[in-house]
Each structure stands twice: as C-alpha cells, then as structure tokens.
Amino acid sequence: MKELSDIKAQQEGQGFQFPGEFEITAMGNASADLKARVPQILEGIGLHVLHETVKHRHSREGNFLSVTVSFRCETREQYDLAHTALRADPDIRYTL
C-alpha cells in the first residue's frame, strides 16, 4: 500500500494544493458526541476549522455517526496529522 506522502499528481496543478481548504470525514460511535469532538480534535492540532461546514449523518441502524468538516491547513504534513489525530481517538473507526 502506498503512503499518502508518496502519491503525486499526474499533471502539474492537479491534486492537493497547499495552503488550502480541505474536507475530512470521521466515522465512529454514535454515542461519542463526534459532532463536537471532531472539530475540537482538529483545532487541538492547530488547524483552522470552518465550523459552518460541519455536517453529520447517522447510520441506518443509528449505531454510528459520520461527521464531515472543512478545515484550512498550510502543509501536507498538517493534512496528514489531521487524519492521524482523528484515527487516534478510540471512538473514531476511520477517516476519509
């Protein structure tokens, strides 16, 4: 499996452009208040969260919740850290 840092745009000007605004989705336990925690985790690592973009959706059975939020970051390292920080939370199953 390729590391995120190894993925490059096929043509110049495509792919991730930094600095920029990005969207991330975290999926986890519905009882864990992820709607509040996901933005807090991102702010805790120094990212500028666009709170007006926070969206959430429950799974069909209601056991899980996905939270999508946009944030601003300056570097690829900050983007990777956003995924790492969210995945480190025990109530978050995965990120997209």
Side-chain angles (χ1 to χ4, degrees):
M1 178 185 273
K2 287 187 177 182
E3 293 293 321
L4 285 176
S5 59
D6 295 335
I7 300 172
K8 306 290 184 214
Q10 291 180 355
Q11 295 179 346
E12 188 63 34
Q14 291 184 335
F16 291 120
Q17 300 292 316
F18 295 95
E21 290 180 7
F22 301 91
E23 186 175 85
I24 194 166
T25 299
M27 178 74 135
N29 299 325
S31 62
D33 193 26
L34 295 181
K35 188 177 176 188
R37 283 174 55 191
V38 169
Q40 288 173 348
I41 291 168
L42 296 175
E43 287 177 331
I45 60 170
L47 296 174
H48 176 75
V49 173
L50 305 171
H51 288 276
E52 66 276 9
T53 67
V54 176
K55 299 178 285 192
H56 68 284
R57 182 174 176 212
H58 288 274
S59 65
R60 184 177 8 179
E61 300 294 322
N63 297 324
F64 299 99
L65 180 75
S66 67
V67 177
T68 301
V69 62
S70 294
F71 62 96
R72 181 153 181 78
C73 67
E74 302 298 318
T75 65
R76 178 62 187 239
E77 290 76 23
Q78 285 180 318
Y79 177 83
D80 292 340
L81 183 58
H83 282 277
T84 301
L86 290 171
R87 289 176 183 165
D89 187 288
D91 287 313
I92 294 176
R93 300 283 178 109
Y94 62 87
T95 62
L96 302 171

